[in-house]
Amino acid sequence: MSLVHTNFLLPPPSPSTLSIPIHNPNFLIPLNHTLVNPRRQTVPVILSGKRTGKQRYPSEKKRLKTKHKETLGEVKDKFQGIWRLSNLGVPVHIDPGKDFLGLSDGLLQEIAKVIKFPVAAMLPVEAFTVLRKSLDARKDVYLDMIISSAVIQRISSLIKLKEPKFVYVVDMDVVKLLTLEPRCWDFIDRLKPEVGLVEHLSTENVTGDLINIINDHKQTGGTSSKSHLLKQPDITVVGSGPSGLFAALVLAELGANVTLIERGQPVERRGRDIGALVVRQILDSESNFCFGEGGAGTWSDGKLVTRIGKNSDSVLAVMKTLVQFGAPKNILVDGKPHLGTDRLIPLLQNFRKHLQRLGVTIKFGTRVDDLVVKDARVVGVKVSDLRNNLQPDCQLSCDAVIMAVGHSARDVYQMLLSHNINLLPKDFAVGLRIEHPQELINNIQYSGLATEVNKGRGKLPVADYKVAKFVSRESANRSCYSFCMCPGGQVVLTSTNPSELCINGMSFSRRASKWANAALVVTVSSQDFDALNFRGPLAGVDFQRELEQRAAVMGGGNFVLPVQTATDFLENKLTIKSVPSSSYRLGVKAASLHELFPAHITEALQRSITKFNQELPGFISGEALLHGVETRTSSPVQIPRDDNTYESTSLAGLYPVGEGAGYAGGIVSSAVDGMYAGFAVAKNFGLFEGSIESLLGKAQAGGFVKVSADIYRALKMHVWQAFERSNCSAPIVTRPWWNQTPWCILVRFHRSYSQDIRMTEMGNKPSRLSNVFFYISNFSTGLNLRTAFG
């Protein structure tokens, strides 16, 4: 769970007496310690990153209120449908362990408590289905009143740990239950919905894998009559990462002629190329940890966690499709599912074979160098065959191009700019990757139960962590957080250029390595790029490259990583002595990583690491080793597209999707975006009829581009001046210059002159946002706002 550190103001207690349950006879504070000043006190408290109470956005409150009404509404027929039982906690010492996904005796006892059935052993296991299983090993502190942070530190030995437990979500089939055990009738009759605990579903919504969804849709007449035409559309998909693979799968299943182009190699050959890099320091710039079949996620941890709704129809469709191609079924139940590189490789081989059976032409070792454009529409691509000495300018004709490249394909961004395609600079995050002994993280998270891990073979999963901190400064506000935490993993090189150093983490399925690593990153924006004189749509790319080149110089060449202990980094010093061992196999060198970043980024990292240590005592130690540098956390640009058709707003026939286009982050969200894009393209070419939402639910809105406060203030000023000049009271500005710019501005007024502004492409329907975001086309930091708004 993401955690932030905040100052939480609580009301004073009625008595000014400290009352704490004491379990330590050596505790030094008396029981009747009277506070000198019983006024309100500000106490630093670690809170969940999830918004609660008044912190929720209005849209979240409305959605939650609707959910509560639906949950607590009158149940029409209690004896039909599904009852969903949530938050069923089974203590670790009773549960069979992380790898058991069935109905244990301990879980049946918890179910019996909820429905108030007296004999758990009489409940038929056939009536229950485990929907989700996760581990809750969080710690609780029991305090009876408000005390200062100094006192909190002195009573750290009194922290009482909750008993770790596995938490389940279980679906109960009422008809099957009553058929097998009729004596449950009266207990079901008395069962009532409870928010977050008990919910009644009139029908069970079963989502199949993507292939079955499409086949079922075909049988119900969902394909267009045009799909039987002699000439099917020729669709070129660029990139074989998750978004490219799922887009190709949808289109091929619906009958399109699909060509999948991948600059890297299939996983078999790619594995050998990565081996040559790790063992002999030979970097293949087109086949490495970033480029190749499956994308950058193949040689990573294979995380399948997502923030777009793990129980949504679209996510379940992706997960079940992965199972269809060889992923273990436990990813459908595990609260934190992951695959690992060793499981991803055979899965991708099965995926490839299925695409080939559908008639998809797959071209590995083929790089797209340019687009072929005719009458403002893409009609093909120019490629180089990298297997035959870079033979250039081979042209492949097509009706549409799905651009599904990753965020390391910087040459593609440059090529798109040459065609005047809008690229919007986007915030991302940079930082360092910290590595600890995995046993240390196990002890921090599990305390006395750490021995239950047993290198991934025990009852408990290998311990991980996720921490976050919001750093506020006059110059900028930044989020600092852990990213891509790899328990039982290793640090790997993700450079695509010998003169640059950037890294990532990876794990195998068992997570049996003796190290744990995670990136500690801070958000950066156009304000940071400007400080280094990087401007324009690719300013973020230039910023990344600058840090990667600095890291390469610090390492001394040959892909040696600059490293520094966490204690030295916090003290801005370099202790000349041997550093702790590292999982990185190409060599490490002690260096002053505190000098790698601009000072304000280093300061944000240092403050955050200090706070992380409060949440995870022992996080800062001599064994904690920082590695530089982590820069490619997400795409530094976004390629604007239509929300419904997924087509580029700059060039007809081009469909930007996935992480490289700025619309996803991670395996699952990229696959979901590619899946929706595949259906949208099929619909545009008459291969699919009906509603995509009826099959997969509503797609997540694409990300927005957050720009600096200076630009926001300038826009506010000029928009307001435009209102005054035009004497316009309507929310939409209508001036002669309006249609001469590529923008449409929606301004909504609140108290005084407070405004929420969204800039969006002409023709798109703008909507109000609760935060200030700008969706800008043709934007560069050198834009003259007075001219644009004058």
Side-chain angles (χ1 to χ4, degrees), residues 486-561:
C486 295
Q490 57 187 290
V491 179
V492 297
L493 179 75
T494 54
S495 299
T496 52
N497 187 311
S499 64
E500 301 163 358
L501 268 187
C502 61
I503 54 176
N504 192 19
M506 69 163 282
S507 298
F508 293 104
S509 58
R510 187 60 71 176
R511 291 174 162 172
S513 164
K514 66 179 181 179
W515 289 284
N517 68 77
L520 303 181
V521 295
V522 300
T523 53
V524 291
S525 63
S526 57
Q527 192 173 7
D528 301 292
F529 313 153
D530 290 344
L532 296 181
N533 295 319
F534 297 134
R535 297 181 175 85
L538 299 183
V541 174
D542 294 332
F543 185 82
Q544 290 175 329
R545 187 176 283 121
E546 172 68 20
L547 294 180
E548 291 168 7
Q549 290 174 350
R550 290 183 185 181
V553 172
M554 280 188 172
N558 291 325
F559 307 113
V560 174
L561 283 190

Side-chain angles (χ1 to χ4, degrees), residues 78 83-90 106-120 123 128 167-172 177 184 186-200:
K78 293 182 177 182
W83 283 93
R84 179 160 294 171
L85 312 179
S86 303
N87 201 27
L88 301 171
V90 180
L107 180 55
L108 285 175
Q109 291 174 10
E110 293 301 317
I111 294 172
K113 289 179 184 178
V114 173
I115 65 175
K116 297 181 173 59
F117 191 75
V119 185
L123 292 174
F128 303 95
V167 180
Y168 290 82
V169 177
V170 174
D171 278 356
M172 179 173 66
L177 175 66
C184 290
D186 289 340
F187 300 95
I188 297 299
D189 187 48
R190 292 193 292 265
L191 192 60
K192 294 181 180 180
E194 295 183 55
V195 175
L197 298 175
V198 181
E199 179 183 4
H200 183 263

Side-chain angles (χ1 to χ4, degrees), residues 175-216:
V175 174
K176 189 175 292 186
L177 175 66
L178 296 178
T179 301
L180 297 173
E181 181 49 78
R183 285 169 290 191
C184 290
W185 187 280
D186 289 340
F187 300 95
I188 297 299
D189 187 48
R190 292 193 292 265
L191 192 60
K192 294 181 180 180
E194 295 183 55
V195 175
L197 298 175
V198 181
E199 179 183 4
H200 183 263
L201 308 174
S202 57
T203 57
E204 185 178 12
N205 184 21
V206 179
T207 302
D209 64 82
L210 183 56
I211 299 170
N212 285 325
I213 289 174
I214 295 175
N215 289 335
D216 290 344

Side-chain angles (χ1 to χ4, degrees), residues 297-322:
T298 304
W299 264 265
S300 184
D301 189 51
K303 290 181 180 65
L304 301 178
V305 292
T306 179
R307 292 176 292 178
I308 62 174
K310 59 186 177 183
N311 290 326
S312 65
D313 289 344
S314 57
V315 170
L316 288 175
V318 167
M319 300 290 271
K320 291 183 178 181
T321 304
L322 295 177

